[in-house]
Amino acid sequence: MIAYIISAAVLLTAVGLGVSIGSVHVPISTLWNQGADTTATNILWKIRLPRVILAGLVGASLAIAGAAFQGLLKNPLADPYTLGVSSGASVGAVMTLFFGISIPVLGLYTLPVFSMVGAAITMFLVLGFAKLVDRGLNMETIILTGIIFGSFLGSVLSLMIALTGEELRQIIGWLLGSVSMRGWNYIHMILPFTIIGSFLLWMNRRELNAMLFGEDRAKHLGVDVKRRKLVILIGGSILTGAAVSVSGTIGFVGLVVPHMTRLLWGADHRHLLTLSFMNGATLLIICDLIARTIISPTELPVGVITAFIGAPVFAFIFYRQRKGGTA
């Protein structure tokens, strides 16, 4: 219980700071102050609050997906970014923009749906190719396969941007990862998929615990391993695709947050998934705050800040694994 109280308190503090701090200081009390200045109210409701909420949803989605992937693959180096899933989601999103795809039935959700499809296809391709190379699906093989696919898909993205000339060059900043100037529409785009994906993963929290002891042991405990793995992979792909479609590629959130949460509060997925969700939201809100204030008035892409944090953590986890420690 104390883990939830602390995580919630830190999250609320991050939201308060994110809403208040910026080029113009706006007290959070403006949210409920009817007599507040109109300019301050507009800044808060139309710019700051949707940005903070979007950052929280993206961070939460990536973190809970990372926690599930790490539990499923039994390795703390797994996350949507290192497995190449984020790159697949980016290709799906950019192709939607590149070809001007708009499906009337989906409407606003065309972009996130195509991003999710890209994420899911990449996830299954990575696992399929890794199984061809190594039938035992060694984790190092999966990570290397993810890096290979991620590099290839990065080249596809670069090619599409180059072919479109100036028209799509604006999305380069988006691909670096940003929640700037997104607005409430983007929250409407990601929210239903964050709820669906998180629910799918949370419903499999006990199965993830069982699979930590190996698939054979999980089967003896009555877990339908194939079905549960498929649901977890789909849930993680939904979350990753939705997050990437609204913010671009933001790396290492799904790596850092579950790892730190596991160190602090343990590896029980009944709590790890929910705590990772909360802490992921906190981390990205704080990273976005740093990105827009550290060299104000210029803004950095939030993906740059997460990479600065995530790359050393990735190296640390890898070092501990190689030295035989538990990460």
Side-chain angles (χ1 to χ4, degrees):
M1 180 59 73
I2 191 151
Y4 291 97
I5 293 171
I6 292 172
S7 297
V10 175
L11 175 57
L12 289 173
T13 302
V15 170
L17 293 172
V19 167
S20 302
I21 298 173
S23 55
V24 177
H25 177 73
V26 181
I28 194 170
S29 59
T30 305
L31 285 171
W32 56 83
N33 185 356
Q34 298 293 327
D37 178 65
T38 306
T39 304
T41 302
N42 286 335
I43 290 172
L44 208 63
W45 283 102
K46 295 183 179 179
I47 300 174
R48 297 265 180 88
L49 191 60
R51 180 169 184 160
V52 167
I53 292 174
L54 186 63
L57 289 172
V58 170
S61 297
L62 294 174
I64 192 173
F69 286 154
Q70 289 172 15
L72 181 65
L73 300 172
K74 298 184 284 296
N75 193 293
L77 291 175
D79 91 313
Y81 188 73
T82 56
L83 292 173
V85 182
S86 292
S87 297
S90 294
V91 169
V94 173
M95 283 184 70
T96 305
L97 299 172
F98 183 82
F99 293 109
I101 300 170
S102 179
I103 299 176
V105 177
L106 297 175
L108 179 70
Y109 301 109
T110 301
L111 183 62
V113 165
F114 273 81
S115 187
M116 282 178 244
V117 171
I121 290 173
T122 303
M123 182 79 259
F124 288 110
L125 284 175
V126 166
L127 292 176
F129 185 78
K131 194 167 186 178
L132 283 176
V133 175
D134 177 8
R135 282 204 161 275
L137 277 181
N138 185 284
M139 191 55 215
E140 288 181 4
T141 305
I142 295 173
I143 294 292
L144 287 172
T145 305
I147 291 170
I148 291 167
F149 272 79
S151 299
F152 172 74
L153 293 170
S155 301
V156 173
L157 288 171
S158 299
L159 176 63
M160 283 192 286
I161 291 169
L163 288 174
T164 52
E166 297 299 324
E167 187 182 350
L168 264 183
R169 290 191 188 278
Q170 296 176 1
I171 70 164
I172 294 175
W174 174 80
L175 287 172
L176 290 172
S178 175
V179 290
S180 175
M181 302 306 290
R182 294 296 195 259
W184 292 102
N185 277 347
Y186 285 82
I187 293 171
H188 297 151
M189 282 171 62
I190 187 177
L191 184 58
F193 300 111
T194 298
I195 294 170
I196 292 167
S198 300
F199 180 73
L200 287 176
L201 298 184
W202 187 78
M203 287 295 290
N204 286 279
R205 61 199 185 282
R206 289 184 174 83
E207 286 74 12
L208 280 167
N209 279 343
M211 282 189 267
L212 285 175
F213 299 102
E215 292 186 11
D216 290 337
R217 179 74 182 274
K219 286 176 184 176
H220 286 307
L221 292 171
V223 176
D224 186 343
V225 173
K226 285 187 177 180
R227 183 183 172 190
R228 294 297 180 173
K229 281 171 71 174
L230 181 62
V231 172
I232 292 165
L233 290 172
I234 289 172
S237 297
I238 287 172
L239 288 162
T240 304
V244 169
S245 71
V246 298
S247 67
T249 306
I250 296 176
F252 297 111
V253 175
L255 174 79
V256 173
V257 174
H259 178 67
M260 299 309 295
T261 303
R262 197 180 295 108
L263 285 177
L264 288 171
W265 309 114
D268 186 345
H269 286 88
R270 291 176 299 172
H271 306 297
L272 178 64
L273 293 178
T274 305
L275 291 171
S276 292
F277 186 93
M278 296 166 70
N279 295 333
T282 301
L283 177 66
L284 203 60
I285 289 169
I286 292 172
C287 285
D288 181 55
L289 177 60
I290 294 169
R292 60 187 164 90
T293 57
I294 193 168
I295 54 171
S296 182
T298 304
E299 286 191 14
L300 292 173
V302 68
V304 172
I305 305 299
T306 60
F308 267 114
I309 297 170
V313 174
F314 184 94
F316 172 71
I317 298 171
F318 185 66
Y319 174 80
R320 288 191 66 182
Q321 280 198 319
R322 282 296 188 180
K323 290 296 181 181
T326 55

